[in-house]
Amino acid sequence: MIACLRLFTALCLAALLAACASSPSSSLGELPRTPDASLEQLLQQAAESTNPEKAALLRLSAADLALRQHNNDRAAQILAQVPLDQLKPAQQVFASTLAAELAMSRNDPKAALTALNHPSVSRLSELPTDLQVRTHTVHANALEADGQTLAAARERAAMTPNLTGDAANSNNEAIWALVAALPVDQLQAHSNDVLGGWMSLALTVKSAGTLQDQQNAIDQWRAQNPTHPAAIQLPAPLIKLKELASQPLTKIALLLPQEGQLASVSKALRDGFMAAHYQAQQAGQNPPSIQFYDSSRLTSLDEFYRQAQADGVQLVVGPLEKPLVKQLNARPQLPITTLALNYSEGAQGPAQLFQFGLAAEDEAREVARRARADGLTRAGAMVPVGEWGNRVLKAFREEWEAHGGTIVGVEHIDKPVALAQQVADLVQLRKTAGGSATPSRRQDMEFIFLAATPQQAQQIKPTLNYQYAGDIPVYATSHVFSASGDQNQYNDMNGIRFCETPWLLDPANPLRQQVTAQWPQAGGSLGRLYAMGIDAYRLAPSLGQLKALPDSRIDGLSGSLSMSPTQRVERQLPWAEFTNGQPQRLPATPN
């Protein structure tokens, strides 16, 4: 998608440089001409001009030239000398577009959107098409960077009539990438215009189950929308799906330990995996056959793959053991595509290796996304002492700071007796002016990121209340919830928000009800592993789809699943809040 955007931006700039002077109308004003002078000559002419409008046009041309020469600081300095409010509308649009492009070069989409919020931009459709394309492009890029995916797609669709050839194709690929990233509920509210057609295509692809179902649905959509740009030229990822559909999956190897420390974890994963398999059979599908292999008796990965190949296996699900996953990740290639049920450390492994697990790092990133969507920018953090806590904090920090968030304090939770003091240290209680003994909390901390056990959380929330900091929101990972059904355990956690698997937040799910009827323990914290096993089964035939459609998702029971560029399955989770000792599901945040 990034390559498409770069190509499209280059094409737009080329079109702009070739454009001549434009005078839309006397009321809109003249646009800057494509300069035939150097930067210094333009500025000299502006300084010598006695006509304020001509001087402004020359400076706009100079700022534009500096931007194209990648001299962004100089472009910003020149643009700051142009009196925006004294310009005519066409010039205001041009200046606002320049300001937005400069803001995007600083990775500041909010400043870009502010620049494009100028009233003059409402008259963009009256201006020459090259400026329309340029403004729509930076507006779309800013909206996308700000997380406003649907609005970015709408902006790109608006310039569709003004594009032809490669520029049109690149824009169409960018529109598809955006709408493919939208959740299903947003796709359902589509209109009958060009963007609505893109959204209905995305809904069609996401609603179909198997690759063959997707192909049939796409063919039907094209027949119903023969003049739509996507019907005339399918997006590249959908063309790749056609290739995948010609390779149906018929046999899977399930490689899990039957003995040792991970045997109970393995059993929950296996039972969930097979529950999904039996559900597919009951639904009248023709699922692949499953062959079991015991990784606890494994002596050689090479020997295992030789045996699996001889058995006709097309996909391996497993292993679970981290040392084995690490070995696979270090290999240059694998003889059979493999979905490991754990994550290795380090760089991306061979092209045939995919990795999936219940990573706490996913939840830390989820907390950062949710807090940002809720409008928060300054965080405190409480994580356990040790390697696990450090990894979780690192994931939270990277996601949080990458989007402009700030961490103003961190405490590493250790012994229970120290918790009260650690909470006090984190919120930095102070005495008020005049020496009053009434403490007050620091005002630069808007919420606390918490990764802790239920027992620790039971102490932390009341301590915040005791320390006059009970108004600080707490956003936690799922580790605060044991799903024990003991309401008393959570009464002291009222108000804590936490992310959790759909499995544990949706007791009415039919498959969950079937599984818990047979294995009651699946209704508790072990349920996360049953959900992961079910999702591993659902991921198995879809790895190629997720790779071909990197912005697409599978709505799983362990979370909303997507594929990272390093072929690791990442989860986004729904949210709940403890209310009267019970987890109450919260509405999803807007995209």
Side-chain angles (χ1 to χ4, degrees), residues 152-229:
R154 186 176 293 114
E155 201 68 26
R156 288 198 168 277
M159 61 176 154
T160 297
N162 295 329
L163 299 172
T164 58
D166 290 341
N169 291 335
S170 296
N171 188 52
N172 288 340
E173 294 288 344
I175 293 173
W176 170 253
L178 290 164
V179 298
L182 291 170
V184 169
D185 58 341
Q186 288 193 37
L187 293 173
Q188 289 170 335
H190 62 76
S191 57
N192 294 322
D193 55 10
V194 171
L195 178 59
W198 284 108
M199 294 171 70
S200 69
L201 175 59
L203 182 61
T204 293
V205 173
K206 291 192 174 192
S207 301
T210 65
L211 275 169
Q212 191 55 55
D213 289 340
Q214 285 184 326
Q215 291 309 305
N216 295 339
I218 290 170
D219 290 343
Q220 184 178 0
W221 181 91
R222 294 180 81 177
Q224 294 170 346
N225 302 270
T227 61
H228 192 276

Side-chain angles (χ1 to χ4, degrees), residues 370 374 496-498 505 574-577 584-589:
R370 177 77 192 209
D374 288 345
I496 291 181
R497 294 184 161 196
F498 65 100
L505 294 183
W575 280 79
E577 180 177 331
Q584 300 294 325
R585 189 158 178 168
L586 294 171
T589 55

Side-chain angles (χ1 to χ4, degrees), residues 12 20 23 71 92 98 189 292 355 441 467 504 520 540 567 573:
C12 291
C20 297
S23 300
N71 192 348
Q92 290 176 327
L98 270 177
F292 299 95
Q355 300 176 43
R441 74 166 176 90
Q467 299 283 8
L504 290 182
Q567 298 189 178
L573 291 91

Side-chain angles (χ1 to χ4, degrees), residues 559-570:
S560 176
L561 310 177
S562 62
M563 186 75 68
S564 78
T566 57
Q567 298 189 178
R568 300 186 180 205
V569 177
E570 295 182 343

